[in-house]
Amino acid sequence: MEKDTRLILALDVLDSAEALRISQVVAGHVDAIKVGYPLILATGLGIITELSRYAPIIADFKVADIPNTNRLICEQVFKAGADAVIVQGFTGHDSLRTSVEVARSNNKDIFVVTEMSHPGALDFMQAAGEAIAKMAADEQASGVVAPATRPERVRDIRNIIGSDLTIISPGVGTQGGSAADAIRAGADWVIVGRSIYQSDDPAAVAAKLVSEIKEVI
Ligand code: 3DU
C-alpha cells in the first residue's frame, strides 16, 4: 500500500452500484479502500475484485478465531483479491502468527486491532491495547489499527511498536476524531467512512481531508 494521500475510505454502503460509484470518484484521493461485513454480506465477496481496480483493498473482517480458522478465513479473503486483512489481537499470539504466515506467503498484509475507537472499547479493550500492540510488533504484522478518537492512545501505541509497523486509524469525522490530530500523534493513515460516503460530494470531502493531512506532515 503506497503512502501518498494517507487516507483510507471505509466503504460501508450496502449497494454494489453505489460502492463502485463512490470508489470511482474518490479513487484519486485515497491510498486504499476498506470493506467489511456490511458491504460484503450485502453484495458478496466478488465486490473485492470489482473494487480492486480503483485502489488496494483492506478487508476489515476483524478475524477473531483459533489459528486454523483464522488461516482458512485469511486464505479465502486473499484469494478474493484483498491486499490486507484486519484481525483482532485479543485472540492471542498463535492466531495472529498464523494470519501473518498466510499473509506473508501471499505477499499481503495483516493489520491488528489494538483498542477500538468507540466508547465501549474502554470497558475491556483498552486494558489490553498496549500488550496487543507489542504482540503485533513481535509477530511482525504489517501494522495495527488504533483509535483516532483518542490521539494520545495512537501516540502510546506508536511508542510501543516503533517505526517498523504502520498505524491505520479509524474514528475521524462522524465518530469525532480529527485527521490532523491522528496523523500528528503517529498514524500513517486515517480511515474515514460516513463523512465521505454520506456526503453529497464524496470527492470534495476526501480532497479536503487530504489537504488537512498534508498540512501536518
Ligand atoms: O465512523 P466511520 O463511518 O468513519 O467508519 C469507520 C470505519 O472503521 C467503520 O468501517 C468501522 O467498522 C471501522 N472501525 C472503527 O470505526 C473503529 C475501530 O476501532 C476499528 C474499525
Side-chain angles (χ1 to χ4, degrees), residues 92-189:
H93 72 277
D94 49 353
S95 295
L96 175 58
R97 185 171 301 164
T98 304
S99 307
V100 170
E101 281 166 5
V102 175
R104 205 165 285 150
S105 66
N106 285 277
N107 211 8
K108 310 275 186 173
D109 295 310
I110 293 291
F111 292 99
V112 185
V113 178
T114 54
E115 164 187 328
M116 293 181 72
S117 58
H118 62 310
L122 303 181
D123 294 346
F124 306 107
M125 289 193 94
Q126 188 173 74
E130 293 178 19
I132 291 172
K134 182 171 183 315
M135 176 187 67
D138 291 345
E139 298 299 335
Q140 298 179 307
S142 301
V144 299
V145 187
T149 46
R150 290 177 217 107
E152 71 285 2
R153 296 295 290 161
V154 174
R155 191 163 280 121
D156 293 344
I157 286 165
R158 171 56 76 200
N159 287 335
I160 290 165
I161 63 174
S163 55
D164 286 349
L165 275 71
T166 56
I167 298 179
I168 60 176
S169 189
V172 168
T174 311
Q175 293 185 52
S178 134
D181 289 351
I183 296 287
R184 252 194 240 108
D188 296 280
W189 285 276

Side-chain angles (χ1 to χ4, degrees), residues 21-109:
R21 179 185 63 76
I22 294 168
S23 299
Q24 190 177 14
V25 299
V26 304
H29 305 290
V30 299
D31 288 339
I33 298 171
K34 183 179 84 65
V35 297
Y37 292 109
L39 179 61
I40 292 185
L41 291 176
T43 66
L45 200 54
I47 192 75
I48 291 180
T49 321
E50 289 188 71
L51 292 174
S52 63
R53 78 175 103 118
Y54 297 112
I57 302 299
I58 300 174
D60 184 0
F61 285 119
K62 296 190 181 70
V63 185
D65 219 309
I66 60 168
N68 187 59
T69 308
N70 269 25
R71 177 177 63 77
L72 293 169
I73 295 169
C74 290
E75 283 172 353
Q76 290 306 309
V77 181
F78 289 135
K79 199 167 137 201
D83 298 277
V85 174
I86 294 176
V87 304
Q88 286 287 11
F90 61 72
T91 44
H93 72 277
D94 49 353
S95 295
L96 175 58
R97 185 171 301 164
T98 304
S99 307
V100 170
E101 281 166 5
V102 175
R104 205 165 285 150
S105 66
N106 285 277
N107 211 8
K108 310 275 186 173
D109 295 310

